[in-house]
């Protein structure tokens, strides 16, 4: 009996132990299953990290390649820069003088900045323009030659001395006109006012030792020639006659400095293209010419009569107050000349009322050296009072 009880007790104990072992095994199985899931998740993260690492390595390799290429480019560019010449700039100053409303700003911009819209011009006290003239290589140096144009807009001309003539001037452009704003005919009062402004006493200040030492050329431009009716020669002679006192005053310095006279119109572009070539010829050293500049000058003088040189064509001989310069026969050009225009272009109405087109003539074909008329493009008719 006792043995039976002991056996039952032992059996019960074994059953309890088995139950506990089973429960423990179940818990361990769940823990193992969870551990397996976690291991799979971690393995996925490891694979993702491996992928990111591979991508970063590829990116790093690509950047290394870029840096290598950039280093090669920098090395190449440095070698090219070492081969390029040193850039240098040479400026030549041109001073434009004239009373208000003479059209000097329009005239200046016509040749210093041909693309400018003249309708946007406003009067200023002082304006400065630059125009690159040529680029010439001198050994290992590339020299840029620049015209630096100072446009004086002051009321009184002598005031320009204090502000503009501190530095040396290579060219002087004096602009006068034949009539004020909206003029339809020559205004003698306007001419007299400008003659008074440029009287000999005032000119003496401009032609001091410093100016004579640096200035290569002085140009008198008689503007608004379209206010005079007649043939080119008649317009030329009449405009010069009106400003003969000023011409005489300027010609007193002709032995010391080049003096030229142009007659034209800034609004219509008559004679303005010659200013650039003239200043180039007189101011720029001959070794500063480049092919583009030579082509431009060839174009400007393409319709000029066959004189020995452009300089001789534009040279104004000394004029005395009482005796006019004798005419000099101009050599015959290859093609017969067509009359230039001092009035509006074809198809436009002349500013003066009562004008009708007329084809002018040059008489016996002679012209004074220094006349503007033979130098102009011969494309449009003149205008004569009806």
């Amino acid at each position: 009996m006792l043995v039976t009880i002991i056996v039952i007790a032992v059996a019960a104990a074994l059953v309890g132990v088995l139950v506990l072992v089973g429960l423990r095994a179940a818990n361990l199985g769940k823990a193992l299953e969870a551990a397996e899931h976690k291991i799979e998740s971690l393995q996925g993260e490891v694979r993702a990290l491996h992928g990111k690492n591979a991508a970063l390595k590829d990116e790093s390799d690509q950047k290394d390649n870029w840096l290598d290429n950039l280093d090669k480019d920098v090395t190449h560019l440095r070698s090219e820069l070492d081969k390029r010449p040193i850039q240098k700039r040479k400026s030549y100053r041109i001073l434009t003088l004239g009373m208000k409303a003479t059209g000097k700003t329009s005239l200046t911009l016509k040749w210093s900045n041909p693309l400018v819209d003249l309708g946007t011009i406003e009067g200023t006290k002082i304006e400065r323009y630059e125009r690159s003239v040529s680029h010439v290589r001198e050994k290992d140096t590339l020299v840029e030659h620049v015209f630096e144009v100072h446009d004086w807009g002051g009321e009184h001309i002598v005031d320009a001395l204090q502000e503009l003539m501190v530095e040396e001037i290579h060219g002087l452009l004096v602009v006068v006109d034949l009539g004020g704003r909206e003029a339809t005919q020559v205004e003698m009062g306007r001419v007299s006012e400008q003659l008074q402004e440029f009287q000999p006493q005032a000119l003496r200040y401009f032609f001091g030792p410093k100016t004579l030492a640096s200035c290569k050329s002085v140009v008198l431009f008689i503007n608004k020639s379209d206010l005079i009716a007649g043939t080119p020669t008649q317009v030329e002679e009449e405009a010069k006659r009106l400003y003969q006192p000023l011409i005489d005053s300027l010609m007193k310095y002709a032995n010391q400095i080049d003096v030229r006279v142009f007659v034209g119109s800034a609004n219509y572009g008559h004679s303005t293209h010659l200013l650039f070539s003239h200043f180039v010829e007189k101011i720029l050293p001959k070794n500063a010419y480049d092919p583009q500049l030579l082509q431009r000058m060839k174009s400007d003088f393409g319709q000029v009569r066959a004189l020995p040189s452009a300089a001789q064509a534009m040279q104004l001989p000394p004029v005395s107050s009482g005796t006019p310069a004798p005419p000099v026969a101009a050599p015959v050009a290859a093609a017969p000349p067509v009359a230039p225009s001092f009035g509006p272009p074809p198809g436009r109405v002349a500013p003066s009322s009562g004008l009708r087109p007329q084809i002018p003539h040059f008489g016996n074909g002679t012209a004074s050296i220094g006349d503007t008329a033979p130098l102009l493009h011969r494309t449009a008719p003149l205008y004569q009072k009806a």
Side-chain angles (χ1 to χ4, degrees), residues 320-341:
S320 61
S321 58
T323 305
V328 179
V332 180
V338 182
S341 171

Side-chain angles (χ1 to χ4, degrees), residues 107 110-111 131 147 173 217 219 221 236 260-264 269-282 296-305 310-311 313-314 340 342 370-378:
L107 178 62
K110 277 285 187 178
W111 65 271
R131 176 169 179 173
F147 277 171
L173 174 60
S217 181
V219 174
F221 192 96
E236 183 88 15
R260 306 297 173 93
V261 177
F262 288 105
V263 177
H270 304 149
S271 299
T272 58
H273 63 291
L274 297 176
L275 283 176
F276 174 75
S277 294
H278 169 70
F279 280 128
V280 167
E281 182 183 19
K282 286 300 173 183
R296 167 64 192 273
M297 295 183 69
K298 180 180 178 182
S299 174
D300 283 348
F301 290 115
Q303 308 256 344
V304 177
R305 290 179 178 232
M314 292 185 292
F342 282 91
D371 287 347
T372 310
L375 302 177
L376 299 176
H377 287 293
R378 298 168 169 80

Side-chain angles (χ1 to χ4, degrees), residues 218-354:
V218 176
V219 174
L220 172 64
F221 192 96
I222 304 176
N223 194 22
K224 304 178 184 177
S225 61
D226 49 281
L227 298 181
I228 301 177
T231 66
T233 303
Q234 292 171 344
V235 172
E236 183 88 15
E237 291 176 352
E238 178 62 14
K240 288 182 178 179
R241 184 189 68 80
L242 294 173
Y243 278 100
Q244 192 63 51
L246 177 54
I247 294 175
D248 292 341
S249 298
L250 291 173
M251 291 310 300
K252 293 178 181 178
Y253 302 95
N255 292 333
Q256 301 168 281
I257 191 172
D258 176 75
V259 178
R260 306 297 173 93
V261 177
F262 288 105
V263 177
S265 172
N267 286 337
Y268 298 125
H270 304 149
S271 299
T272 58
H273 63 291
L274 297 176
L275 283 176
F276 174 75
S277 294
H278 169 70
F279 280 128
V280 167
E281 182 183 19
K282 286 300 173 183
I283 296 176
L284 204 65
K286 293 300 182 288
N287 60 0
Y289 287 44
D290 64 7
Q292 291 79 9
L293 178 60
L294 290 172
Q295 182 64 31
R296 167 64 192 273
M297 295 183 69
K298 180 180 178 182
S299 174
D300 283 348
F301 290 115
Q303 308 256 344
V304 177
R305 290 179 178 232
L307 295 179
S309 67
Q312 183 179 355
M314 292 185 292
Q315 179 65 45
L316 181 70
V319 179
S320 61
S321 58
T323 305
V328 179
V332 180
V338 182
S341 171
F342 282 91
R348 297 186 60 177
V349 179
S352 304
S353 58

